[in-house]
Amino acid sequence: MGKIISVINLKGGVGKTTTTVTLAQFLAGEYGKKVLVIDLDPQTNATVMLIEQNKWKKANDDRNTIHQMFSDKLSGTKHFDLDKSIIKGVSNVGGGIKNLHLLPSSVDLIEIQDKLAYIVQTSTFTQNPITVLASYLNQQVIDSYDYILIDCPPNLGTMTLNGIYLSDYYLIPVIPDILSTWGIPQILDRITRCANDIKQINRGYDIKPLGIIITKYRSNNRMHRETTQDLISRGNRGEYPKVFNNIIKETSKVSEAAELSISVNNLKQKFGYQREVYEAFKGLTCEFIQRAK
C-alpha cells in the first residue's frame, strides 16, 4: 500500500522543496522505491528541479499539469488526463531515475488558487474544494507507488489542504531559527482541526506527523545549536513531532544539487562526492523509510 506524505512549512526558503526532491531521488535511486512527486506549489520549484524547462513548457502547453486539474474543476471542462500528465524517469541522475515520477505544477496555478476556496459555489462542482486532488488519485494509482511526496505551498490554504486530505503523514522541514520554527504550532493546530473535519467525511482518516527535518544547519551559529536542541527536547516531550537524527547542514553542494542542467551518473556525483552531505541524505532517507510504515 502506497504511503502519501505532505511536506509543509509556512515559511519559504527553509529547504522544503530541496528536501522533498532530494528525498525522492534517494528513495528511488538508492533504495529502489517507486516514488511520485506531486508539485502543488505554484512556484513550480520541485518541477524544475526534476525536469528541464522546455519539457515543462510542453507539459503546460499540452494541459498536463496540476493547473489543468484544478482548472477543469472550476470551469467544468475535462482536459486533464492523469496518466498523460505524470512524467516518468525524471531527474538529471543517470539520464533519469526510472522509478521516479513527477506530476508537475504550473505558474498558471497562481491565477486560480485564490478561486479554489469558492469552487463549491460553482454550478459545475459540488465537492469539498480540498478533495480535488483526491478525486483523481484513486487507490489503484496510490498503490502503484511506494511513496507519494507532495510539495505543498508555504501556506495552509486550499491547495495545501488538498495534500493533507490525501496524506498518511506530514513532514516539516525547518531551518533552526526563530522565524522558520515560529509556525510549527500553527501547522500542528491547523492539521488537527482539518483532520477532525475530514473525519466527518471519512471516518477512517488518520494523518500523523512523520517528524521535523533540520535543514541549512550551521554548527557555528549559536541560535542554530540552541534551537535544534529545543526542537529535539520538545519532540522528546511529545510537544512537537520528533526531530530526525540526520541533520542537513548548509553547504554550497546542497544548493548546487538543485541545478538540473548538468547530468550526473549517480547521487554521489550529484553531491560532489562530499561524504558528509551524501551520507546525511542517505541516513535521512533510511530514517524516513523506518518511520513511514
Side-chain angles (χ1 to χ4, degrees):
M1 181 179 292
K3 298 297 182 183
I4 305 177
I5 300 93
S6 283
V7 187
I8 303 169
N9 194 303
L10 300 182
K11 185 177 182 300
V14 301
K16 173 181 62 67
T17 299
T18 299
T19 300
T20 303
V21 170
T22 306
L23 188 58
Q25 290 178 114
F26 270 81
L27 284 166
E30 293 289 314
Y31 290 89
K33 304 297 183 181
K34 190 172 182 183
V35 182
L36 171 66
V37 173
I38 298 178
D39 190 358
L40 281 184
D41 193 337
Q43 296 181 67
T44 74
N45 290 330
T47 295
V48 297
M49 284 175 69
L50 288 170
I51 59 173
E52 295 179 348
Q53 292 192 31
N54 59 353
K55 197 167 187 177
W56 168 81
K57 185 179 185 303
K58 185 179 187 308
N60 199 54
D61 291 345
D62 292 344
R63 299 177 174 179
N64 292 331
T65 71
I66 284 286
H67 167 261
Q68 191 60 50
M69 174 191 290
F70 287 95
S71 181
D72 277 0
K73 291 299 184 182
L74 281 170
S75 61
T77 55
K78 295 183 179 180
H79 299 299
F80 182 76
D81 185 309
L82 181 65
D83 291 334
K84 291 180 180 178
S85 299
I86 293 176
I87 303 173
K88 300 177 181 179
V90 297
S91 175
N92 65 332
V93 176
I97 301 175
K98 181 181 178 181
N99 291 334
L100 181 54
H101 299 175
L102 169 70
L103 181 54
S105 186
S106 170
V107 290
D108 295 332
L109 198 57
I110 295 171
E111 299 175 5
I112 66 170
Q113 63 177 343
D114 292 338
K115 300 176 183 177
L116 295 176
Y118 307 102
I119 197 171
V120 73
Q121 298 177 11
T122 68
S123 60
T124 57
F125 188 68
T126 57
Q127 292 178 234
N128 189 305
I130 70 172
T131 67
V132 175
L133 182 61
S135 68
Y136 288 92
L137 264 71
N138 59 40
Q139 198 62 47
Q140 184 177 358
V141 173
I142 294 169
D143 288 342
S144 68
Y145 293 96
D146 295 302
Y147 302 104
I148 297 176
L149 303 184
I150 303 178
D151 188 39
C152 298
N155 57 57
L156 289 171
T158 304
M159 194 65 64
T160 298
L161 294 180
N162 267 268
I164 291 172
Y165 181 85
L166 263 177
S167 294
D168 301 292
Y169 301 99
Y170 63 96
L171 187 61
I172 309 175
V174 298
I175 299 173
D177 61 25
I178 294 172
L179 287 174
S180 299
T181 59
W182 190 261
I184 292 176
Q186 290 92 326
I187 293 172
L188 301 178
D189 179 66
R190 183 64 186 276
I191 289 180
T192 297
R193 288 188 285 117
C194 180
N196 289 334
D197 292 341
I198 293 173
K199 285 178 181 178
Q200 303 301 315
I201 306 171
N202 178 6
R203 291 181 180 273
Y205 179 79
D206 183 26
I207 189 171
K208 298 175 182 177
L210 199 62
I212 293 173
I213 296 177
I214 303 293
T215 67
K216 300 186 178 182
Y217 178 77
R218 299 198 303 273
S219 58
N220 62 350
N221 184 300
R222 180 179 175 183
M223 179 181 289
H224 279 210
R225 295 196 306 270
E226 291 179 351
T227 304
T228 296
Q229 189 54 55
D230 180 59
L231 290 172
I232 292 171
S233 297
R234 287 173 180 261
N236 290 338
R237 293 196 300 266
E239 298 173 15
Y240 283 178
K242 279 189 172 287
V243 175
F244 279 73
N245 295 323
N246 286 271
I247 292 174
I248 307 304
K249 295 184 178 181
E250 184 174 55
T251 70
S252 60
K253 265 301 159 190
V254 174
S255 300
E256 290 170 10
E259 177 57 52
L260 192 70
S261 62
I262 302 173
S263 296
V264 295
N265 295 321
N266 51 56
L267 285 164
K268 285 185 177 179
Q269 185 182 1
K270 189 176 181 75
F271 289 98
Y273 296 99
Q274 286 192 4
R275 181 177 177 83
E276 185 178 50
V277 178
Y278 171 82
E279 292 296 340
F281 273 115
K282 187 172 183 180
L284 179 70
T285 307
C286 185
E287 280 189 90
F288 175 93
I289 293 171
Q290 291 299 316
R291 294 190 186 199
K293 291 183 176 180

